[in-house]
Amino acid sequence: MASILDQYEQESNRSGVRRPNEMGGDIISSGFMDARLETELPIFNKKKVNFKPPEKITHLVVSNNFLVMAMSNNVLLRLDLEQPDQPDEVELPRSVEDHVHKIFQDPTGRHLIISMGSQENYYLSRNWKKPKSITKLRGHVLECVGWNWQNANDNTTSSILLGTSRGLILETELSVFEDSRFFQGNAEQYLKQLFSLDRSEPITGLEFDRMPSPDMSTYKYYILATTPGRLYQFIGQVSQSAEPPMFLSLFQQYETAHLQFLDLPGDFGYSELHLFFPKFRQQALKFAWMTGPGLYYGDINVKGSAGPNSILSNAKLMPYRRDGEDRSNKPLAMVLTEFHMLVLYPDSMKAICSLNEEMVFDDVYPEWLGKLKGICKDAIRGTIWTFTSNCVFKYKVTREDRDVWQMYLERGEFDLAKEYCKNNAMHMDKVLTKQADYLFANGRYEESADMFALTQNSFEEVALKLIKLPNKDALKMFVQRKLSGLRPQDKTQMTMLVTWMIELFLNQLGGLKEQGQDDTSEYDNTQEQFRKFLGQQRVRECVSNNRSVVYDLIASHGDVEDLVFFAVLMKDFERVIGHHIQHENYRGALEVLTKQTDVELYYRFSPLLMQYVPKETVEAWFKQGRQLDPKKLIPALVQYDHMRNREQGNEAIKYLEFCVQKMENKDPAIHNYLLSLYAKLQPQNLMTYLQLQGEDPEDISYDVKYALRLCAEFGHKRACVHIYSLMGLFEEAVDMALQVDVELAKQQADKPDEDDREMRKKLWLRIARHVVEEEKDIKRAMEFLHECDRLKIEDILPFFPDFVTIDHFKDAIISSLQEYNQHIDSLKEEMEEATQSAEEIRKEIQSFRNKYALVKAEDKCSSCGYPLMSRGFYLFPCGHKFHMDCLIAEVLPSLPASKRSQVEQLQRKLAESETAQGSGTAGGSAGKRPDSSVSGVKDMDIKAKLDELVASECILCGDFMIRCVDKLFIEDEEWSSVAAEWE
């Protein structure tokens, strides 16, 4: 339990915390409320370590949570802070008057160097229980050690720099291995003096780190060294393959060159140098040097912006803050954090912000705790430790950057301020508001508007501030930014802002037009910005529901171009096309029509476009392909004057041919109209079309009767002949063909079926009569007798005139008589063959009447294997025998469905007859007995029909067996049962 003095000390520390530029009153931004609690932990929270040393503490260091303290009896107390209940004591070799001068621990906590007042120096590894003397350092008092921050080996310190009380800079490497590379039993691998300062002042601080190097074979290092009043910088290259000592070549270049340094007079005999590393093994970012005149601090810039010979930038000297009563109170030591310098005095510890040089923490120690001896920082864990002779204190750093944003804000470094606001929306709003005000005051109005849009300031207040500006670009920027920040559900606000933005753009464009600047780049850029704004997804969605308002707004400004653009954007193509047609811009209308996908607009506007731009319109139809219904485009195709614009008719034919040939359209309306255009405009293509359509009535797409009337009207006789032939009107086809060409008539005469001999003969007689009577060509008429075998000389003789002599057809008469004689001879031969066949049939019938076969009692059915005479059976001439029911069962599955039903019906009738005869016999005494002779005749007929269906041939050696060759041995429906039996 803490004592009452400790409780008092904690409360005094909490009350001593000061926030930089702490302000009262309300917060500027109306959108946020400061919810910070009064009990928020201070940045530096001190806690006394519950530990009482056995002797007075003289020195203390902490690295990587490993604490080492030196006590007045020359005993080192080591403590792993993760296991604080296991302390470890190490006794140092000592003489009577000897004491610890300083101790140095590397950042990892693995290596410790002890410098004694007797000029002896020791090395102690973390795992050792006894220190080892560094023999080569005997005679030197160490004031500082420059550790190698890039070392990744726990067993060696790698190359380190040592600063002595006589102004010497040494390099060495300490190792935990027993077998040294140079000297057996020595901790140091080597020791080399690198540099000696002229004034032989003690080296109070040494720090070095690696820099970016353009050469991959070398490293570049900077080394900072301090004396009580001077700061030295050494910068140079170090070869990667260099033998120890590593920094010898770097210091050798300064032996001949003039050494540059910073001299601050007024030292008090000692100083301290510290670097701030954001993380272990990362590059240092800041430095601080505690010297006589004050704290000299700044940034470390290794990119070369500070010059080739310096890595220090933004350096400042801040005098010490001393109380009015005691101006002789000198600082003892210091540590450096990211944003603060903690300076230790004998009775207090003061934290000063490095951003604004204000003291943010003043921790005064009570007198009963004793005088403060020193302060150190754990470079890896970030904790800060102070100690007196009897007490140890630990400072925990909590959110050191909590107020950094405000300090950067006051300095006008807005980017850094925003970076340190992190996720605090209230702080970010303050930074953005101040940055926006700054930009506005400096005339950077658009950037200011962009910033204002990100703040929570009143929209109306900012808008009124920007609307007063003559240039409205800043106002547009602000409104557009606010619009982009709205949520999808904020539809009302979104509609208002979008409408206002449209009005702003239209006013700006209208003003440029009034000034005659509508051909300038400014007008073009503004119009492009306006159209990009309208094209944004959110804006399109917003105005799509309020398009009438936007139409009225744009129309009120008379901006026709943007009205058309907006209509296109809204896909209101009907309005756009109507606008172009109203201004007789038919090609523009067609261009808009082709860019949209609504086919109904094609049907609506094509009739008008076909009158003025037929070729382009048809090409647009081609591109749409099957998307368009050609039938609905017929009104557009007929909108032309054939006598005035023949080209348009050709374009119509071109599209209809595309529909018929490419799209394979079968619509009769399309084909009929194409046929009409062929008949009127391109008769040379008419027959080609008709022939491509073929002669099968099922495949013809046009109306045959309409086509016949059309061709007859325009006198296309060949087409009429073709159509008559399709209709089966061969007589009309031949008559029409005779008006054109006899050969065409002969082709039509051969088209009737071969069986229709009378029609063929009639048609050929028409042709022959035409040739004889009209053309008077008797020789050609006689040739018809060879072309048509149906015509005889006697058929065409009536057509010849009376004065024709027999010499013209003597050969034909002779040929006809010869054919008659041959025909009579062939008939005689056929009669003789028929007589012989009839005689043979009579003989076979007579022989079958006397044929018989024997059936034995042991004969079995060829199908089921049971005795044959057990029931009715069939006996075939081949010797095979079958029961009646077995034969029917074998034949029935292979019969057609119609015959199968007949067999089943005959079986039912036969069964009913047998049942009726049985019942009649049983009841004959009760009534009149039915006529047995009539029923017997019916049964014989039924059996005869049944025999004809199932017993016409033997199923084993007849055609039935041949037809069953491809029948499966096991049917599909039987497969499962058979497979189960086999298993």
Side-chain angles (χ1 to χ4, degrees):
M1 183 175 178
S3 65
I4 189 170
L5 293 175
D6 292 337
Q7 296 178 18
Y8 170 77
E9 180 186 358
Q10 291 177 3
E11 289 299 324
S12 63
N13 287 338
R14 187 174 291 114
S15 62
V17 176
R18 295 171 55 195
R19 292 193 182 93
N21 299 325
E22 200 168 45
M23 296 179 296
D26 297 334
I27 299 173
I28 297 173
S29 176
S30 59
F32 294 97
M33 181 175 61
D34 191 355
R36 185 163 51 188
L37 300 177
E38 293 183 357
T39 58
E40 185 180 16
L41 290 175
I43 296 176
F44 304 101
N45 186 25
K46 183 178 72 174
K47 181 180 180 181
K48 182 181 177 183
V49 180
N50 188 16
F51 168 77
K52 185 174 182 180
E55 298 289 338
K56 291 185 177 181
I57 304 172
T58 59
H59 300 83
L60 182 143
V61 290
V62 183
S63 295
N64 198 18
N65 241 11
F66 192 75
L67 181 148
V68 179
M69 63 178 70
M71 294 180 286
S72 59
N73 58 351
N74 286 353
V75 174
L76 298 180
L77 183 62
R78 300 189 297 180
L79 185 64
D80 187 347
L81 297 177
E82 295 181 358
Q83 298 175 344
D85 55 341
Q86 299 177 8
D88 178 28
E89 291 187 358
V90 177
E91 186 174 356
L92 298 174
R94 57 183 174 175
S95 59
V96 178
E97 299 295 334
D98 202 2
H99 64 278
V100 176
H101 177 65
K102 282 186 179 182
I103 58 176
F104 311 94
Q105 187 171 230
D106 80 310
T108 64
R110 307 292 302 180
H111 311 281
L112 181 72
I113 299 175
I114 307 102
S115 179
M116 306 296 292
S118 61
Q119 298 184 357
E120 288 285 344
N121 296 279
Y122 299 96
Y123 168 64
L124 180 63
S125 175
R126 183 169 181 172
N127 298 325
W128 290 357
K129 298 298 183 180
K130 184 178 180 181
K132 182 176 290 189
S133 176
I134 308 175
T135 56
K136 285 186 173 293
L137 275 177
R138 188 171 296 160
H140 295 283
V141 177
L142 298 183
E143 295 291 342
C144 60
V145 175
W147 296 105
N148 192 333
W149 288 81
Q150 305 299 327
N151 179 33
N153 192 344
D154 292 342
N155 296 319
T156 178
T157 62
S158 189
S159 298
I160 59 175
L161 298 179
L162 308 176
T164 70
S165 59
R166 291 180 294 176
L168 301 179
I169 298 178
L170 311 176
E171 181 182 334
T172 188
E173 179 180 352
L174 304 177
S175 173
V176 300
F177 299 114
E178 294 295 333
D179 51 340
S180 164
R181 285 179 294 180
F182 300 105
F183 301 100
Q184 292 293 332
N186 291 342
E188 68 274 18
Q189 299 295 310
Y190 63 91
L191 181 68
K192 179 69 175 179
Q193 178 179 332
L194 301 179
F195 201 77
S196 175
L197 299 180
D198 296 337
R199 300 173 61 181
S200 299
E201 293 181 311
I203 306 295
T204 58
L206 267 176
E207 296 286 353
F208 70 91
D209 198 8
R210 192 180 298 171
M211 301 172 62
S213 175
D215 190 356
M216 299 298 293
S217 62
T218 60
Y219 292 131
K220 189 175 183 180
Y221 281 88
Y222 67 85
I223 301 173
L224 298 179
T226 60
T227 64
R230 288 185 177 182
L231 172 62
Y232 296 88
Q233 295 186 62
F234 303 91
I235 300 175
Q237 304 284 343
V238 175
S239 175
Q240 295 186 16
S241 59
E243 293 292 331
M246 183 174 68
F247 295 108
L248 180 61
S249 60
L250 188 151
F251 280 97
Q252 283 178 347
Q253 67 183 0
Y254 286 95
E255 292 180 356
T256 57
H258 177 67
L259 184 61
Q260 296 184 356
F261 55 86
L262 173 67
D263 190 0
L264 296 178
D267 64 87
F268 36 63
Y270 59 90
S271 68
E272 281 192 11
L273 176 66
H274 293 277
L275 301 183
F276 170 73
F277 296 84
K279 288 184 180 179
F280 185 52
R281 293 195 178 96
Q282 289 187 357
Q283 289 186 346
L285 299 180
K286 299 176 183 292
F287 79 96
W289 178 34
M290 186 192 75
T291 184
L295 297 174
Y296 186 74
Y297 66 98
D299 300 328
I300 292 180
N301 190 325
V302 296
K303 296 181 180 179
S305 60
N309 300 319
S310 177
I311 49 93
L312 307 181
S313 64
N314 302 323
K316 298 179 183 178
L317 178 63
M318 180 181 65
Y320 297 110
R321 294 178 177 270
R322 295 187 174 90
D323 298 332
E325 298 179 356
D326 186 7
R327 295 185 176 274
S328 62
N329 196 14
K330 298 179 181 179
L332 300 178
M334 69 163 290
V335 293
L336 177 64
T337 65
E338 185 175 6
F339 299 107
H340 296 88
M341 295 173 287
L342 282 68
V343 184
L344 185 73
Y345 292 89
D347 58 352
S348 65
M349 194 274 291
K350 303 180 186 299
I352 302 167
C353 179
S354 57
L355 297 177
N356 56 8
E357 298 186 353
E358 289 191 6
M359 185 173 63
V360 298
F361 184 70
D362 187 2
D363 189 8
V364 179
Y365 285 70
E367 293 183 1
W368 60 271
L369 291 174
K371 296 292 185 182
L372 288 169
K373 294 291 186 178
I375 184 172
C376 64
K377 177 188 173 184
D378 188 336
I380 294 180
R381 300 303 177 96
T383 55
I384 298 171
W385 302 78
T386 61
F387 65 96
T388 64
S389 298
N390 300 310
C391 303
V392 178
F393 301 90
K394 176 183 177 181
Y395 288 88
K396 182 179 180 182
V397 182
T398 305
R399 292 179 53 233
E400 182 186 6
D401 58 353
R402 66 182 67 176
D403 295 317
V404 170
W405 67 273
Q406 192 169 347
M407 301 175 195
Y408 280 124
L409 179 62
E410 292 171 355
R411 294 165 57 174
E413 299 181 22
F414 301 110
D415 292 336
L416 289 173
K418 285 186 280 190
E419 179 181 347
Y420 286 98
C421 284
K422 296 183 178 178
N423 296 325
N424 192 314
M426 181 185 70
H427 295 167
M428 181 63 75
D429 189 69
K430 287 184 178 181
V431 174
L432 293 174
T433 300
K434 190 164 184 179
Q435 184 178 8
D437 288 332
Y438 171 81
L439 293 171
F440 190 89
N442 286 272
R444 298 161 64 179
Y445 301 118
E446 292 187 29
E447 298 177 52
S448 174
D450 194 9
M451 288 296 169
F452 272 126
L454 300 176
T455 67
Q456 297 297 320
N457 290 341
S458 169
F459 175 84
E460 295 81 1
E461 179 182 352
V462 177
L464 290 173
K465 188 173 185 178
L466 297 175
I467 205 170
K468 297 177 182 178
L469 299 175
N471 192 333
K472 303 303 179 186
D473 289 339
L475 181 59
K476 288 192 301 182
M477 172 70 73
F478 174 70
V479 176
Q480 193 161 358
R481 281 289 188 180
K482 279 294 185 183
L483 178 62
S484 62
L486 291 177
R487 300 169 299 174
Q489 56 265 34
D490 299 332
K491 297 186 181 299
T492 303
Q493 296 92 322
M494 192 178 299
T495 303
M496 294 175 61
L497 292 181
V498 167
T499 307
W500 192 12
M501 278 295 296
I502 294 174
E503 178 67 24
L504 290 174
F505 273 114
L506 292 173
N507 286 336
Q508 191 171 5
L509 291 171
L512 292 173
K513 277 186 178 181
E514 291 178 358
Q515 298 173 12
Q517 299 182 12
D518 51 345
D519 293 332
T520 61
S521 59
E522 181 182 1
Y523 181 88
D524 295 337
N525 293 335
T526 304
Q527 189 177 54
E528 183 179 359
Q529 293 174 9
F530 179 39
R531 295 183 175 183
K532 284 183 178 179
F533 171 75
L534 291 175
Q536 295 177 12
Q537 180 67 26
R538 300 184 69 188
V539 176
R540 288 205 310 269
E541 293 176 357
C542 177
V543 299
S544 62
N545 299 323
N546 305 280
R547 61 180 66 187
S548 60
V549 176
V550 180
Y551 277 129
D552 295 340
L553 193 60
I554 300 177
S556 65
H557 285 265
D559 193 343
V560 178
E561 293 182 9
D562 291 316
L563 183 66
V564 172
F565 174 82
F566 179 72
V568 173
L569 191 66
M570 291 293 101
K571 297 184 179 180
D572 194 356
F573 298 107
E574 183 176 354
R575 182 188 293 264
V576 179
I577 296 172
H579 170 80
H580 286 302
I581 291 177
Q582 185 178 0
H583 291 80
E584 298 183 356
N585 183 12
Y586 301 106
R587 282 184 170 79
L590 183 60
E591 182 179 356
V592 175
L593 183 64
T594 55
K595 291 181 179 179
Q596 57 87 41
T597 57
D598 185 6
V599 295
E600 293 298 327
L601 295 182
Y602 279 89
Y603 306 141
R604 179 172 181 178
F605 291 103
S606 290
L608 187 61
L609 295 175
M610 198 63 181
Q611 298 180 28
Y612 296 96
V613 283
K615 183 176 180 180
E616 293 82 355
T617 304
V618 170
E619 289 176 354
W621 293 349
F622 286 158
K623 293 178 182 179
Q624 291 297 314
R626 298 183 184 274
Q627 301 295 328
L628 296 177
D629 183 2
K631 188 176 180 180
K632 295 183 178 181
L633 292 174
I634 291 179
L637 294 171
V638 300
Q639 292 294 323
Y640 74 96
D641 185 354
H642 167 62
M643 300 303 296
R644 190 180 67 178
N645 192 356
R646 189 178 184 87
E647 178 187 357
Q648 187 172 341
N650 293 337
E651 294 297 331
I653 292 175
K654 187 186 300 183
Y655 178 70
L656 293 174
E657 288 176 342
F658 171 79
C659 296
V660 171
Q661 299 171 10
K662 301 294 184 181
M663 297 170 57
E664 299 180 354
N665 188 286
K666 301 296 184 182
D667 196 312
I670 297 298
H671 285 265
N672 290 340
Y673 188 57
L674 176 59
L675 188 67
S676 68
L677 293 179
Y678 277 144
K680 298 175 184 178
L681 303 177
Q682 295 182 2
Q684 68 276 10
N685 296 330
L686 179 60
M687 281 306 301
T688 304
Y689 167 77
L690 293 175
Q691 291 170 0
L692 289 174
Q693 285 291 299
E695 298 183 359
D696 187 356
E698 298 294 332
D699 296 335
I700 294 175
S701 301
Y702 56 87
D703 186 342
V704 179
K705 294 181 180 180
Y706 172 74
L708 180 60
R709 181 181 62 82
L710 199 64
C711 294
E713 179 182 351
F714 288 95
H716 302 309
K717 294 182 180 181
R718 283 185 177 272
C720 291
V721 171
H722 181 81
I723 297 171
Y724 276 133
S725 177
L726 292 178
M727 298 172 68
L729 303 176
F730 300 110
E731 296 182 29
E732 289 80 353
V734 170
D735 291 340
M736 183 63 71
L738 290 174
Q739 300 179 23
V740 180
D741 184 14
V742 174
E743 293 298 325
L744 179 61
K746 290 160 62 175
Q747 295 174 7
Q748 301 303 316
D750 286 334
K751 287 187 176 181
D753 296 336
E754 292 289 340
D755 298 335
D756 196 357
R757 297 180 179 181
E758 295 298 327
M759 176 58 71
R760 279 176 168 262
K761 183 176 180 180
K762 185 177 181 179
L763 297 177
W764 278 101
L765 286 174
R766 283 177 178 268
I767 299 172
R769 183 172 184 174
H770 173 79
V771 171
V772 173
E773 295 180 353
E774 301 296 333
E775 298 185 5
K776 311 297 183 181
D777 192 348
I778 298 175
K779 184 177 179 181
R780 187 176 182 184
M782 298 307 297
E783 292 175 357
F784 289 169
L785 298 177
H786 302 287
E787 295 180 12
C788 181
D789 55 355
R790 299 285 180 252
L791 290 181
K792 305 297 180 183
I793 184 61
E794 59 269 25
D795 295 328
I796 62 174
L797 282 176
F799 304 144
F800 293 149
D802 297 338
F803 56 84
V804 176
T805 62
I806 196 171
D807 294 337
H808 290 88
F809 43 87
K810 178 175 69 175
D811 296 337
I813 292 174
I814 295 172
S815 175
S816 178
L817 291 175
Q818 291 174 352
E819 288 179 3
Y820 279 128
N821 290 332
Q822 293 175 0
H823 184 61
I824 291 170
D825 293 338
S826 64
L827 288 177
K828 288 180 180 181
E829 292 176 0
E830 290 176 1
M831 289 175 65
E832 291 176 357
E833 292 176 358
T835 303
Q836 293 176 1
S837 298
E839 187 62 29
E840 292 177 359
I841 291 172
R842 291 192 194 96
K843 292 178 180 179
E844 288 182 3
I845 292 173
Q846 188 64 33
S847 65
F848 269 106
R849 286 177 181 175
N850 300 324
K851 193 172 183 178
Y852 63 93
L854 296 176
V855 179
K856 300 178 181 180
E858 61 271 15
D859 287 347
K860 296 181 180 181
C861 176
S862 299
S863 177
C864 65
Y866 286 97
L868 183 67
M869 300 184 70
S870 61
R871 54 185 186 273
F873 61 88
Y874 285 104
L875 174 63
F876 291 95
C878 61
H880 291 113
K881 312 171 188 67
F882 299 92
H883 288 134
M884 179 185 291
D885 55 347
C886 292
L887 181 62
I888 293 174
E890 291 287 342
V891 175
L892 196 62
S894 62
L895 291 176
S898 59
K899 291 186 178 182
R900 192 183 307 127
S901 62
Q902 291 180 19
V903 172
E904 294 173 351
Q905 187 176 5
L906 293 172
Q907 284 182 307
R908 285 196 297 271
K909 289 182 179 181
L910 191 60
E912 291 173 358
S913 177
E914 292 176 354
T915 303
Q917 290 180 4
S919 61
T921 304
S925 61
K928 185 179 180 179
R929 186 174 181 176
D931 190 351
S932 59
S933 62
V934 175
S935 61
V937 173
K938 291 183 178 179
D939 291 345
M940 292 298 293
D941 293 340
I942 294 173
K943 288 181 179 179
K945 293 180 180 179
L946 187 61
D947 293 345
E948 183 180 353
L949 290 173
V950 301
S952 60
E953 61 178 350
C954 177
I955 63 173
L956 296 180
C957 53
D959 293 341
F960 177 83
M961 180 56 67
I962 297 175
R963 291 195 300 270
C964 295
V965 168
D966 59 346
K967 184 179 179 182
L968 299 175
F969 290 106
I970 301 175
E971 299 294 341
D972 293 339
E973 59 270 12
E974 299 175 354
W975 181 259
S976 58
S977 60
V978 174
E981 292 177 0
W982 288 350
E983 291 177 358

